[in-house]
Amino acid sequence: MPRISYVNGQYLRHDRAGVHIEDRGYQFSDAVYEVIATVSGRLVDETLHFDRLERSLTEIGMEMPFSRTHFKIKIAELLRLNRIANGALYIQVSRGVAKRDHKFPDGVRPAVVMTVRPMAPPARTLVEKGVAVITVPDIRWQRPDIKSVSLLPNILAKQQAVRQGVYEAWQVDADGMVTEGTSTNAWIVTGDRLVTHAPDHAILNGVTRLALLDMAAEEGLVLEERSFSADEARGADEAFLTSTTAFVMPIVKIDDAVIGDGKPGPRTRALLARYDGHLRGDA
């Protein structure tokens, strides 16, 4: 069965789908996106994802191309055509097609692209043993809170992690403070204190991050939304990262420093168990 994608109102074979050469997302990165996990055909945290999509569009001077209800109808058809129950849905909205010019064009319709692919949960060996991350300088623009398709600095940092044989790179600002990973949010645990960067302009306010905040309270953890240094992270009892596709991933090594006893810690494992239930739709 051929894979099907959605492009500007049409459902097309994925290998034949495309956008116009003067689409502003292609030429200027003048576009935003979302990635939503689907579990048993259910969009996980769909309200939070659509809230963030709408916010990103507002921040770049755009409106939603159509209503959330309309979006969900199109998404349901895309999932049906691809016969995918467990997968990753990608939504991209660009300002549209116009003659190449830096200023906003007038009278242009937004371009909407959606794809879906099967997605398995992270490998159990990674979750059970934990992963390593490195720290790298944060060279991104000053608005990573907007989920823009302009991801070149993230890609370069991710590739550095790949070359060093680790799972992720945590980005560190000029003051030595960890902001976030290349595609994940960063967390540390010391005692009963759970620390993660505040949702300001320095990070993307991850949907998995948001979902985990209530779970942390249920675990009796004291949440501190603040910056933490790379040195503080290397000396933490536990560390982990979160994202829509990585879920909750324990970290056992940061640079050359072993975290805790080198195994996923009890607080991280407890949060992971709660998030697994969240994915299943448990009350």
Side-chain angles (χ1 to χ4, degrees), residues 180-195:
E180 59 186 344
T182 67
S183 58
T184 60
N185 286 119
W187 307 70
I188 59 173
V189 181
T190 301
D192 65 351
R193 292 182 295 114
L194 176 64
V195 186

Side-chain angles (χ1 to χ4, degrees), residues 1-98:
M1 172 183 165
R3 186 177 171 194
I4 305 297
S5 294
Y6 174 92
V7 182
N8 296 323
Q10 294 184 295
Y11 295 93
L12 304 169
R13 281 183 52 144
H14 187 73
D15 57 2
R16 297 177 183 173
V19 297
H20 194 281
I21 194 171
E22 289 191 313
D23 185 288
R24 289 178 63 91
Y26 172 72
Q27 293 201 337
F28 289 114
S29 297
D30 190 2
V32 299
Y33 75 100
E34 278 294 325
V35 178
I36 308 177
T38 68
V39 176
S40 300
R42 177 179 60 89
L43 299 180
V44 178
D45 294 318
E46 66 173 51
T47 299
L48 292 175
H49 279 287
F50 280 114
D51 286 348
R52 189 171 63 180
L53 176 62
E54 190 164 4
R55 179 188 180 276
S56 291
L57 287 166
T58 298
E59 291 297 305
I60 67 168
M62 292 182 63
E63 297 179 352
M64 289 280 274
F66 28 74
S67 70
R68 296 188 186 196
T69 299
H70 199 173
F71 252 122
K72 293 172 188 178
I73 291 171
K74 292 175 179 292
I75 290 167
E77 178 65 4
L78 185 63
L79 294 174
R80 186 191 70 81
L81 290 171
N82 285 279
R83 300 179 185 175
I84 289 179
N86 301 315
L89 169 71
Y90 177 84
I91 303 171
Q92 179 174 306
V93 183
S94 84
R95 204 173 301 275
V97 176

Side-chain angles (χ1 to χ4, degrees), residues 42-213:
R42 177 179 60 89
L43 299 180
V44 178
D45 294 318
E46 66 173 51
T47 299
L48 292 175
H49 279 287
F50 280 114
D51 286 348
R52 189 171 63 180
L53 176 62
E54 190 164 4
R55 179 188 180 276
S56 291
L57 287 166
T58 298
E59 291 297 305
I60 67 168
M62 292 182 63
E63 297 179 352
M64 289 280 274
F66 28 74
S67 70
R68 296 188 186 196
T69 299
H70 199 173
F71 252 122
K72 293 172 188 178
I73 291 171
K74 292 175 179 292
I75 290 167
E77 178 65 4
L78 185 63
L79 294 174
R80 186 191 70 81
L81 290 171
N82 285 279
R83 300 179 185 175
I84 289 179
N86 301 315
L89 169 71
Y90 177 84
I91 303 171
Q92 179 174 306
V93 183
S94 84
R95 204 173 301 275
V97 176
K99 179 183 70 174
R100 193 178 190 281
D101 192 353
H102 282 65
K103 65 180 178 61
F104 291 177
D106 295 323
V108 174
R109 294 178 60 186
V112 181
V113 171
M114 294 191 288
T115 61
V116 63
R117 59 179 174 82
M119 183 182 72
R124 292 308 304 176
T125 53
L126 292 180
V127 176
E128 291 167 1
K129 294 182 178 180
V131 300
V133 302
I134 57 171
T135 56
V136 300
D138 192 339
I139 61 172
R140 301 170 300 164
W141 73 319
Q142 296 181 23
R143 292 300 308 275
D145 58 302
I146 299 171
K147 200 166 176 64
S148 161
V149 300
S150 182
L151 294 173
L152 184 56
N154 305 60
I155 291 167
L156 295 174
K158 180 73 81 173
Q159 189 59 30
Q160 188 173 339
V162 170
R163 286 197 302 268
Q164 296 192 33
V166 299
Y167 188 85
E168 174 66 301
W170 275 9
Q171 299 168 104
V172 179
D173 67 19
D175 296 322
M177 310 303 282
V178 175
T179 51
E180 59 186 344
T182 67
S183 58
T184 60
N185 286 119
W187 307 70
I188 59 173
V189 181
T190 301
D192 65 351
R193 292 182 295 114
L194 176 64
V195 186
T196 192
H197 201 292
D200 55 22
H201 285 178
I203 70 163
L204 180 71
N205 195 4
V207 166
T208 306
R209 175 192 181 281
L210 288 168
L212 213 63
L213 297 181

